[in-house]
Amino acid sequence: MLLAIDCGNTNTVFSIWDGSEFIATWRTSTEWQRTADQYYVWLSALLKLHKIDADITDVIVSSTVPRVVWNLRVLADRYFDTRPLVVGKPECELPIDVRVDAGTAVGPDRLVNTVAGYDLYGGDLIIVDFGTATTFDVADADGAYIGGVIAPGVNLSLEALHSAAAALPHVDISKPQQVIGTNTVACMQSGVFWGYVGLVREICARIKAEHGREMRVVSTGGLAPLFQQTEALFDEYHDDLTMHGLTVIHKYNKELAEQ
């Protein structure tokens, strides 16, 4: 079985793929100090709790936090006796081209999402990922990653409002009942929610105009379901897009190794 690990700035997701479906998915906070032994104790306890007998033979990692990768490598080597594939490293091949400025380092999560989007929906895509940052990734007709946009994440914006303005409280994001808020919390929620609706709509419109072809917009990430409630913002929603991309990349590399 395959252990797919997606390490983001806020959370790290572990999923077990049996070749046809994910049989378990868990997430934990991302902490670079966490050792391989701590990861294994946590993971093995969850496997035992849910009565999952998983013979993990392969590991693939996508990480936007470089300092975490070392301990995840040790986890794969020490406890699963395998050398993990790490997206972004030379030994991990991608089934798509990356056409950006020379010397530009593209986040592994963005490449994985593009691979997944192309596999599921074909080319000419805009993938909107609501994570710590809100990212827009563009796939060409042949699935190649050709660039994108990075904006502050929704929760990051709320936290910045709370931190920079003493009178503004910390609030959770939700879709407001009306645009005009009648109290401070409602005003903040309206500003952030409708502000991001406008941001997504305008950026996607400009990408489509610049690209010059019809494009499908796919959303993913923790807050994607919230923004999925608004009209005509996205064509598709996929909650496990990154994990799907990791399975596609793993399969592609296995097939290359067998040739």
Side-chain angles (χ1 to χ4, degrees):
M1 292 186 186
L2 172 68
L3 174 61
I5 305 173
D6 172 33
C7 177
N9 291 297
T10 305
N11 293 313
T12 301
V13 181
F14 291 73
S15 289
I16 299 174
W17 174 257
D18 69 359
S20 59
E21 64 178 354
F22 287 110
I23 62 172
T25 296
W26 300 293
R27 66 179 59 230
T28 183
S29 58
T30 298
E31 297 176 6
W32 67 267
Q33 304 97 326
R34 187 169 293 163
T35 66
D37 301 328
Q38 288 174 310
Y39 278 121
Y40 182 71
V41 168
W42 173 79
L43 187 59
S44 58
L46 286 169
L47 288 167
K48 184 177 180 180
L49 178 66
H50 293 277
K51 298 181 173 60
I52 297 173
D53 183 16
D55 180 20
I56 296 171
T57 58
D58 296 271
V59 178
I60 185 168
V61 177
S62 169
S63 177
T64 58
V65 186
R67 288 193 291 181
V68 172
V69 174
W70 168 254
N71 282 317
L72 294 177
R73 283 184 180 272
V74 174
L75 170 71
D77 178 63
R78 180 179 297 167
Y79 292 104
F80 304 120
D81 193 28
T82 185
R83 180 181 176 84
L85 272 174
V86 179
V87 179
K89 298 299 182 182
E91 65 272 16
C92 183
E93 299 287 345
L94 298 177
I96 61 168
D97 289 332
V98 180
R99 297 198 284 264
V100 294
D101 294 343
T104 300
V106 181
D109 55 330
R110 305 179 73 183
L111 297 176
V112 174
N113 282 350
T114 304
V115 168
Y118 182 62
D119 181 69
L120 290 168
Y121 307 111
D124 290 325
L125 292 179
I126 302 170
I127 300 167
V128 185
D129 188 350
F130 292 92
T132 304
T134 300
T135 59
F136 300 74
D137 297 309
V138 183
D140 211 346
D142 62 351
Y145 179 86
I146 58 173
V149 176
I150 301 175
V154 178
N155 285 320
L156 197 61
S157 295
L158 279 170
E159 189 61 36
L161 274 176
H162 170 63
S163 299
L168 296 181
H170 178 78
V171 300
D172 293 324
I173 183 66
S174 65
K175 183 179 180 180
Q177 296 298 314
Q178 55 191 30
V179 176
I180 301 172
T182 55
N183 56 69
T184 302
V185 170
C187 289
M188 292 173 67
Q189 289 176 332
S190 182
V192 171
F193 180 85
W194 292 113
Y196 271 85
V197 168
L199 179 144
V200 170
R201 184 173 285 127
E202 181 67 14
I203 288 179
C204 287
R206 289 181 176 271
I207 289 173
K208 291 176 181 179
E210 192 170 288
H211 195 59
R213 288 196 294 270
E214 288 295 318
M215 304 185 76
R216 181 175 294 184
V217 182
V218 181
S219 69
T220 190
L223 288 174
L226 174 65
F227 289 94
Q228 194 72 9
Q229 299 175 30
T230 60
E231 68 287 349
L233 207 53
F234 309 111
D235 299 304
E236 307 286 349
Y237 162 69
H238 197 293
D239 61 341
D240 289 326
L241 194 68
T242 306
M243 285 302 171
H244 178 77
L246 287 174
T247 67
V248 174
I249 294 170
H250 174 262
K251 181 181 178 182
Y252 180 74
N253 280 267
K254 292 284 280 189
E255 291 174 347
L256 287 179
E258 292 168 0
Q259 291 178 359

